[in-house]
């Protein structure tokens, strides 16, 4: 029982430690696996006898995990090569009759083209969500309930809260 493996940023100095993983997780992991440590997604580039070397992953594991926790299957779409954000044509190509929502992740301080993504979602009757802070103020609890009610209609087995704090 080795215990914990240090997690280090590949190509950085020996002191670029970003955390640690337990032995079981390391033994079940492979190169190119993506995992979340803290609030950051990391891609494994090398596993040695005492450390895991990683690079930042451009995906948001937590978004896909949230979709899976609802019992749904996340489907990924192409990104815009300039902004690295979700591309409208990629969304249109990935959308099927079973699609319930689109989750937009703004990347590297560059916003996705929300106007076009919302239009595409409206044409297909999809809920369009943003991952990140909204610039416009809104009633967060009411908006959460509205989104949960919408998804409840689209996804079987999802229950929405009808009272409480959201």
């Amino acid at each position: 029982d080795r215990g914990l493996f240090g997690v280090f940023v590949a190509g950085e100095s020996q002191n670029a430690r970003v955390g640690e993983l337990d032995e079981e997780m390391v033994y079940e992991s492979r190169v190119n696996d993506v995992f979340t440590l803290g609030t950051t997604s990391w891609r494994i580039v090398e596993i040695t006898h005492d450390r895991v070397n990683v690079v930042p992953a451009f995906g948001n594991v937590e978004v896909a995990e949230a979709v899976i926790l609802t019992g749904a299957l996340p489907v990924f779409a192409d990104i815009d090569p300039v902004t690295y954000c979700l591309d409208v044509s990629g969304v249109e190509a990935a959308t099927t009759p079973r699609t319930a929502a689109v989750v937009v992740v703004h990347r590297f301080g560059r916003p996705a083209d929300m106007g076009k993504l919302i239009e595409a979602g409206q044409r297909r009757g999809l809920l369009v969500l943003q991952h990140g802070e909204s610039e416009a103020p809104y009633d967060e609890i009411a908006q959460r309930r509205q989104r949960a009610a919408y998804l409840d209609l689209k996804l079987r087995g999802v229950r929405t809260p009808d009272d409480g704090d959201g």
Side-chain angles (χ1 to χ4, degrees), residues 56-135:
F58 292 132
N60 286 77
V61 174
E62 68 277 8
V63 173
E65 286 174 344
V67 171
I68 291 167
L69 288 173
T70 69
L73 176 69
V75 176
F76 298 92
D78 283 337
I79 60 170
D80 180 297
V82 175
T83 64
Y84 296 102
C85 294
L86 196 57
D87 184 59
V88 175
S89 61
V91 169
E92 291 173 339
T95 301
T96 72
R98 294 183 58 192
T99 304
V102 176
V103 180
V104 181
V105 178
H106 302 291
R107 182 67 58 214
F108 307 120
R110 298 178 178 177
D113 189 340
M114 288 305 297
K116 289 182 180 179
L117 289 165
I118 289 170
E119 285 176 20
Q122 287 174 341
R123 281 194 304 274
R124 290 169 174 73
L126 303 174
L127 178 64
V128 178
L129 303 170
Q130 295 183 62
H131 179 65
E133 293 294 322
S134 173
E135 291 182 23

